[in-house]
Structure formats: structure tokens, C-alpha cells
């Protein structure tokens, strides 16, 4: 236990954890330290995890909860809980290339996502995260009061619909269109179920409008919140290496996968941990 180190990577969020081998069984004491770092820093990183197999990847995720099977993206052969996120050298559009939080289009959105780098480009392909607790805390008291009573409508329909970026045909990913995607209501200000902290819970990919408002009425305030929530002072940036793992809290962060490595291949594997209905 004394060899486990937690090193913050920015002032806003994110920490690298050294001294943990995710391919083995974590003791309860080690798990508790990792879990606390996850709550404290919102996204945690592990280097040199090349020996992490799909089975052990899933086993680590199950320490935090049940695992999600994505409704619109087919999982890895033999491992439906694992998404193979692959961009081939000649493909133009990446997966996750816009600010979002995973699975907010579900009635019970994801707790967190665990991404393992299998093959990375020689440059580019970094991921950014944004701390939505900090974004909320920076709002005026008046706007906080206004938002506290609002509910937002989330759906996969725009992103996974016929014209959505996430539903594009890809050589190495099997996606399907969400032609009749349901809509679900979530509070605009979410209370974190483990820490009690309040944070913004809207995102550009899956939030359509406010409950009881039209899309046109909703757009100015949503755009303001989207611009506010991704300000640089709320973010961190991670440079991937083969074997790196990132585990982020979808209840308190956004993330953005940069698409700046044209002509190179990038291969990642993602496990998503189920969460609870926001309140």
C-alpha cells in the first residue's frame, strides 16, 4: 500500500496513480485508495497496463458496479461489455470527438468509463476532461437558483440518429442508428450520490432541451452553459501511451477525444460501469 502514489495532473481534475497493477486482484485497502482518488480527482490514470486482458478489464469495472452493454454499438467478440473504439488511418471521423458525458441518454446513466489504450498514434489523440462541479461552483447565485428547478431532456436520437456522428459507418466498429431513441428527464443540477457535491448535468451531445421549454427557447441558455462548462480552467488533458488506462466519473465530468492524428491508427477498449438515476 505504501507504494501507491496519487499525483494530480492539473489544478482542476485528474490524477495519475502509480503502484497499481490492474491485471491482478486489488486488495480491499488498495481498492479503497483508488476509489477515494476517483472521487477526489474525477478522472484517474494508470500507466503501463499492457497486461490488462479483457477479462481483467471487466473485473476491475465490476468492483464499482454492473457493466453496461451499449444499446447502439456492438461490443467486442465474446465480450459484449467492451467497446472496441478504433479509428483506421484512412478514416476521417473519430468516436467521441465532441464534448459529452457517456450514456446520459439512459434512464440510469453511467457511473464511469474505463478506457484502455491498445494502440496509439505517434502524436495526437489526447483526451480532455472538464470538471462539472467547478463549472457549477463558478456560476452566479442567481443562475444557480434558476437552474436548480430545471429538468433537461436527454436522448441518443441526435447523436445516433441517421445524421449523427456516432452512428456513422466505420470499418472497425459496428454501430446502429437510434431511429426511435427514447427521451429521459434528468435534473440540470445533479447531486453526486457519493460526495454530495452539486454539478452541472447537461452536455452538447445528448441534451435536447429543458422540460416544458421548446428547443428554440432552450437553445440560448443551453449554449451559455455549454460554453461555460468547457472553459480551460475547468479542464485537464491526458497524453496516451500504449497500456495507459483512464477511469472517469460520468456523474461529474465531460470529455472530448481529439481527432488530430490523420493517417494513423488508434485502438482503445472501453468498459462502462452502470450508474443510478440522477437526483
Amino acid at each position: 500500500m505504501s507504494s501507491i502514489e496519487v499525483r494530480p495532473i492539473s489544478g482542476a481534475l485528474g490524477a495519475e496513480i502509480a503502484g497499481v497493477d490492474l491485471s491482478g486482484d486489488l486488495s480491499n485497502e488498495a481498492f479503497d485508495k483508488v476509489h477515494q482518488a476517483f472521487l477526489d480527482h474525477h478522472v484517474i490514470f494508470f500507466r503501463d497496463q499492457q497486461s490488462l486482458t479483457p477479462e481483467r478489464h471487466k473485473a476491475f469495472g465490476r468492483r464499482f458496479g454492473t457493466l453496461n452493454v451499449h444499446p447502439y454499438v456492438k461490443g467486442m467478440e465474446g465480450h459484449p461489455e467492451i467497446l472496441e473504439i478504433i479509428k483506421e488511418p484512412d478514416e476521417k471521423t473519430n468516436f467521441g470527438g465532441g464534448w459529452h458525458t457517456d450514456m446520459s441518454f439512459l434512464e440510469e446513466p453511467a457511473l464511469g468509463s474505463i478506457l484502455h489504450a491498445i494502440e496509439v498514434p505517434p502524436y495526437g489523440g489526447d483526451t480532455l476532461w472538464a470538471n462539472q462541479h467547478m463549472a457549477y461552483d463558478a456560476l452566479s447565485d442567481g443562475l444557480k437558483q434558476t437552474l436548480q428547478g430545471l429538468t433537461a431532456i436527454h436522448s441518443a436520437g441526435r447523436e445516433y440518429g441517421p445524421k449523427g456522428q456516432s452512428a456513422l459507418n466505420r470499418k472497425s466498429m459496428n454501430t446502429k442508428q437510434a431511429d426511435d431513441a427514447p427521451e429521459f428527464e434528468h435534473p440540470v443540477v445533479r447531486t453526486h450520490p457519493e460526495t454530495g457535491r452539486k454539478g452541472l448535468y447537461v452536455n452538447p451531445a445528448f441534451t435536447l432541451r429543458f422540460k416544458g421549454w421548446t428547443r428554440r427557447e432552450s437553445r440560448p441558455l443551453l449554449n451559455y452553459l455549454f460554453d461555460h462548462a468547457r472553459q480551460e480552467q475547468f479542464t485537464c488533458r491526458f497524453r496516451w501511451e500504449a497500456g495507459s488506462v483512464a477511469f472517469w466519473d460520468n456523474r461529474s465530468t465531460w470529455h472530448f477525444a481529439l481527432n488530430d492524428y490523420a493517417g494513423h491508427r488508434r485502438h482503445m477498449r472501453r468498459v462502462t460501469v452502470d450508474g443510478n438515476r440522477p437526483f
Side-chain angles (χ1 to χ4, degrees):
M1 270 298 297
S2 60
S3 63
I4 296 180
E5 295 182 49
V6 179
R7 299 188 291 255
I9 69 166
S10 84
L13 77 168
E16 286 199 21
I17 298 182
V20 173
D21 180 3
L22 298 179
S23 67
D25 290 321
L26 295 184
S27 68
N28 288 337
E29 192 178 5
F31 172 79
D32 288 345
K33 189 160 188 177
V34 168
H35 186 201
Q36 191 60 55
F38 176 69
L39 296 178
D40 291 343
H41 300 282
H42 316 294
V43 54
I44 53 178
F45 307 101
F46 307 83
R47 298 284 189 185
D48 304 317
Q49 304 292 323
Q50 286 88 345
S51 57
L52 184 65
T53 64
E55 286 293 354
R56 298 309 305 173
H57 191 170
K58 293 191 294 183
F60 177 61
R62 288 191 176 111
R63 292 292 295 267
F64 293 87
T66 58
L67 302 184
N68 174 267
V69 175
H70 201 288
Y72 307 115
V73 184
K74 185 178 180 180
M76 181 181 180
E77 191 68 32
H79 302 279
E81 309 93 338
I82 297 180
L83 293 188
E84 296 262 46
I85 300 174
I86 299 173
K87 180 174 179 282
E88 297 292 358
D90 60 342
E91 291 183 305
K92 304 298 183 186
T93 305
N94 69 336
F95 187 81
W99 283 110
H100 65 288
T101 188
D102 291 333
M103 318 300 286
S104 77
F105 56 77
L106 297 178
E107 185 174 14
E108 295 185 336
L111 178 155
S113 301
I114 305 167
L115 193 63
H116 184 211
I118 307 301
E119 180 180 351
V120 298
Y123 55 81
D126 294 0
T127 303
L128 291 79
W129 283 266
N131 184 336
Q132 297 307 290
H133 295 311
M134 289 187 74
Y136 172 78
D137 290 344
L139 297 173
S140 68
D141 290 342
L143 186 50
K144 287 177 184 176
Q145 186 174 0
T146 298
L147 297 178
Q148 193 64 50
L150 291 181
T151 298
I153 307 300
H154 295 243
S155 175
R158 183 171 56 201
E159 190 69 17
Y160 285 94
K163 297 181 180 179
Q165 176 174 301
S166 294
L168 293 175
N169 290 326
R170 305 167 192 272
K171 288 183 178 180
S172 302
M173 296 183 67
N174 187 345
T175 59
K176 67 177 182 179
Q177 292 182 6
D179 295 322
D180 298 307
E183 296 182 350
F184 293 106
E185 300 177 2
H186 300 313
V188 172
V189 178
R190 178 175 188 172
T191 302
H192 195 287
E194 296 186 79
T195 67
R197 289 189 66 184
K198 291 182 178 181
L200 290 175
Y201 196 68
V202 292
N203 69 90
F206 305 123
T207 305
L208 303 182
R209 63 188 185 281
F210 298 115
K211 181 181 179 181
W213 298 30
T214 66
R215 289 201 184 197
R216 184 178 179 182
E217 291 168 340
S218 302
R219 187 52 47 193
L221 180 51
L222 281 177
N223 281 343
Y224 176 82
L225 294 176
F226 295 159
D227 288 341
H228 171 77
R230 58 183 172 231
Q231 291 183 77
E232 288 84 352
Q233 64 264 34
F234 305 144
T235 67
C236 73
R237 178 170 178 155
F238 184 67
R239 174 72 177 125
W240 293 94
E241 300 168 350
S244 297
V245 171
F247 179 23
W248 63 88
D249 194 332
N250 281 301
R251 303 164 297 185
S252 58
T253 66
W254 288 2
H255 59 283
F256 187 135
L258 294 178
N259 186 21
D260 56 349
Y261 49 98
H264 299 284
R265 191 174 194 268
R266 186 176 186 266
H267 177 192
M268 320 289 277
R269 289 179 179 155
R270 191 184 93 187
V271 161
T272 302
V273 182
D274 291 323
N276 299 314
R277 189 163 189 167
F279 61 89

